[in-house]
Structures are given as C-alpha cells and as structure tokens.
Amino acid sequence: MNTIEDRLREQLPQLADALTQEPVHADPKAVSRSVASGIDLGSAERTRRHRSSRVLAAGVAAAAVLLLVGGLLAFSRSDRRNDSDLAAPSAGPPPGFGVWRPIADAPIEARPYAASAWTGTEAVFWAGSSLSRDFAYSDGAAFDPTTNSWRGLTVPGWGHPGLSSVFFDGEPVCTRERRRHTIQPSAGHVGRPARGR
Amino acid sequence: MGAFSTSEPGEGLGDAGDRLAMLFVDERVGLIRMATLLVGSHAVAEEVVQDAFIAVGDRWSTVERPGAYLRTSVVHGCAAVLRRREIEDRYSDRWRGERLDEIPSQLVELRDALDHLTERQRIVVVLRYFVDLPDNEIASVLSVRPSTVRSLTRRALSTLRKELS
C-alpha cells in the first residue's frame, strides 16, 4: 500500500462492509417482488434489524395501531349493542378487522420520535422531532377511529424527543424528563396533571 | 403531505412510482454504505437514506436527476447528524459496543482516523475515495468551488496520514 489515498480506496469499502454488518438487501429480487405487490419495501429487512426505516414505517405502523384499536373498539361496541353476540364467542372479529384501510389525513406533519397513546376513544399523537433531532414539534392531534376524523391539539412547550406514554391506572399518562404528565385531549391539550395527583 | 400516510414508496405515482421503486432497489445499498462511512453508524445511515427517499418521492415531478438529488440529500442528512455530535456519539457508542470486536484492527484505525476529520473533510474523503466522484461533482454536493474541495482533500489527507502513521 503506497499512499494514504491507496489505503482509502482499498479500505473504505471494507469498512463500509464491516459497519453495515450484512448485505443490506441479500435478495434484490425479493425487493422487486415487494415493489410489484405493493408491500412495504423494507418489511423483510425490518424483521431482521432492530433499527430500521422508522420514518416511512411510522405512517404504516400508526395506521396499523389505529386499525387494531378501531377494530377492537367497534367489536366492543358491537358486543354491547347485541347481547346475542356475547353468547357467540366464536363470532370472530367484525368485518374489516385485520384489513388495511386508509385513514383521513392528519392536521399535523408526519414526524419521527413522536409520543402516542390510546385514551379509550382516541389515538393521540404529539411532539416528536426531525430525524436529526435538530427541530422539535410542539403540536399534536387526536384521531377518532369511529368517525375517521382528526382534531388538532395544542402542546405548549412539549416539542421534545424522548417522550413515552402508557395507559396507567385508568389514566393515560406520559413522561418527559422524569416527570409525569397527564394527557387531556378532551380539553384540547396535553399538559401537566393537577396538583396532588 | 398528510401525517401518517399509509402509502408506500411510489404508490399512486404510476410510471414515476415504478421508477422510484427501481431507484430504491438500485441505489439504496450504495447510499447506505456511503452514509455509514459518513456517520459511523449503520442504523443512523439507514434512517438518513430512508429520509432521502421520502424527500425525493415528494419532489419527484420536479427533480431532474433523482440519483444525484438522492446522493446530495443523503450527504446533507449525514452532515446534519454530524453537526449534532452528541446524538451521533450516542448512536456510535451503542454500535461500537456491539461491533468493535468483529472489525479488523486496521479498519478500526481507519474509522477512528475518520472521526478526527471535520464534517466537510469527511464528506470529501468519502465522496472522493469511496464513491469516486470527481471534484466538480463533490463541489456541487457541498455547494463550494472545486478548489475548496481540493483544499479540503489536502487537509483531510494530512490529518489521516498523521492519525494512521
């Protein structure tokens, strides 16, 4: 190896191979088939990798969650309306359950690192940041699967990556910087809990 | 663009969608390898590249050279990551802990030497010696003059010689 330039030309591809760990697409034909059939281009790869195409998947994953939640909700309401359904546990999920369907466009931009929670009636999404985390969002929106509609939420000062949320003790809560906050989408905002809670 | 779109890359774009899908198949691997060298992390590189494909899909009708647009988008995305060193370090540390033992020592040396370069020097080195781009195209990606590319290259090589000696 004569010069640093020779070394770079020889070893940069080797370093790229080492860092990427495995062929990024071992079977390009499989990708082509996925493209042709309209399947998510990165789905096979995502199953093998811990971190993968998060931005693109966010929309698909959100739709899946909403579909699941909406389906369960519809199923639950259907059960309440018709007692005969309760006597037929083998009736199975309602029509449309498990089938992909488009939902209404949200009033907020798609973004990675957003926080989300299911409140019992709505799926709430808020905050998040750009991919490089040099920009944080301070808005949010709630989706009602029964009406296929969104409404915007104000999220004052909540544009912050690293949020997480759960449905806990009958109340949707989220954390930020070691603090607990409640989600109050019915009031049109996400904010801190009342004192003493 | 609506939030949480359920569309796939190229879906609803007709022939343009087919071309975008083919571009995805043809270019994604190479772009991820390039981005990995730039940011030092495969995981971050994948996200940057994915972001670039989303961007080119959104602007497909106005982009004359999708391949070049993609490459520039990836380089700029990587530059943004590099500027946020604390985020880059977080990912790199995680990755280094997982992979350090599996990489030959000479490549570890090279990787560490690349970390001593400035953001623009690193981009120039990768584009010149890995992608094999001519100076004028590197200059176009970085929005600088070719003479600046040559200057960045000289300084980068000087640093790498010192670090690898």
Side-chain angles (χ1 to χ4, degrees):
Chain A
M1 203 171 299
N2 296 324
T3 68
I4 186 68
E5 291 175 292
D6 291 335
R7 180 170 179 177
L8 288 170
R9 287 196 174 94
E10 180 181 329
Q11 292 188 349
L12 281 175
Q14 295 173 8
L15 181 59
D17 287 341
L19 296 184
T20 49
Q21 191 171 0
E22 61 187 281
V24 180
H25 274 134
D27 182 8
K29 290 181 180 177
V31 178
S32 299
R33 286 194 296 272
S34 295
V35 172
S37 59
I39 299 170
D40 181 2
L41 289 164
S43 60
E45 189 175 3
R46 273 198 293 276
T47 63
R48 298 196 308 269
R49 297 233 175 89
H50 178 63
R51 297 183 54 79
S52 60
S53 314
R54 188 177 344 188
V55 175
L56 180 63
V60 179
V65 170
L66 293 174
L67 179 61
L68 177 64
V69 169
L72 290 173
L73 187 62
F75 188 46
S76 168
R77 289 180 178 176
S78 172
D79 283 350
R80 283 197 297 271
R81 281 196 302 268
N82 190 345
D83 289 343
S84 64
D85 287 346
L86 295 174
S90 61
F97 183 82
V99 178
W100 289 92
R101 61 177 173 82
I103 61 174
D105 283 351
I108 58 175
E109 288 183 69
R111 77 281 303 266
Y113 312 120
S116 61
W118 173 247
T119 67
T121 56
E122 291 177 311
V124 185
F125 303 87
W126 73 99
S129 70
S130 61
L131 191 64
S132 59
R133 304 200 194 210
D134 55 3
F135 171 80
Y137 289 89
S138 291
D139 60 0
F143 178 74
D144 184 343
T146 61
T147 61
N148 188 31
S149 62
W150 291 85
R151 61 192 179 89
L153 299 172
T154 58
V155 192
W158 272 73
H160 193 281
L163 290 166
S164 60
S165 59
V166 294
F167 197 89
F168 175 73
D169 196 21
E171 180 182 59
V173 298
C174 59
T175 59
R176 177 204 172 198
E177 296 174 343
R178 300 180 184 178
R179 293 178 182 174
R180 184 174 70 94
H181 298 257
T182 58
I183 304 165
Q184 299 169 320
S186 59
H189 71 275
V190 178
R192 297 185 178 187
R195 287 190 174 184
R197 298 195 66 182
Chain B
M1 179 182 175
F4 311 127
S5 166
T6 57
S7 62
E8 305 296 343
E11 189 176 271
L13 294 174
D15 290 342
D18 292 340
R19 292 199 298 275
L20 176 59
M22 289 309 300
L23 188 69
F24 184 91
V25 172
D26 292 342
E27 301 291 340
R28 182 169 180 268
V29 173
L31 289 170
I32 287 177
R33 282 160 55 84
M34 179 188 78
T36 300
L37 289 174
L38 288 173
V39 299
S41 163
H42 184 196
V44 175
E46 280 198 328
E47 294 191 346
V48 170
V49 170
Q50 195 72 19
D51 220 23
F53 272 103
I54 291 172
V56 78
D58 288 345
R59 298 166 179 78
W60 187 263
S61 61
T62 60
V63 174
E64 292 184 1
R65 297 171 58 206
Y69 184 91
L70 262 177
R71 187 169 57 221
T72 301
S73 293
V74 170
V75 170
H76 289 177
C78 290
V81 170
L82 290 173
R83 280 194 290 272
R84 294 294 300 264
R85 298 301 305 184
E86 71 280 8
I87 301 298
E88 189 267 343
D89 287 344
R90 185 188 309 169
Y91 285 111
S92 297
D93 288 346
R94 183 182 306 165
W95 165 78
R96 285 172 186 174
E98 294 169 356
R99 301 274 304 143
L100 193 59
D101 295 341
E102 303 170 36
I103 298 179
S105 59
Q106 60 183 358
L107 297 183
V108 173
E109 289 174 9
L110 177 58
R111 185 205 61 187
D112 291 345
L114 290 173
D115 285 345
H116 284 83
L117 301 179
T118 66
E119 168 199 323
R120 292 203 301 176
Q121 287 173 354
R122 186 167 184 149
I123 290 171
V124 165
V125 165
V126 171
L127 292 182
R128 185 179 186 134
Y129 297 107
F130 178 71
V131 183
D132 209 22
L133 280 187
D135 286 349
N136 62 329
E137 288 198 38
I138 298 173
S140 174
V141 170
L142 289 176
S143 301
V144 298
R145 289 176 297 188
S147 60
T148 303
V149 171
R150 289 191 287 274
S151 173
L152 287 166
T153 304
R154 279 196 300 273
R155 277 181 257 156
L157 293 180
S158 173
T159 299
L160 290 175
R161 272 191 208 98
K162 188 169 68 175
E163 295 298 326
L164 294 171
S165 62

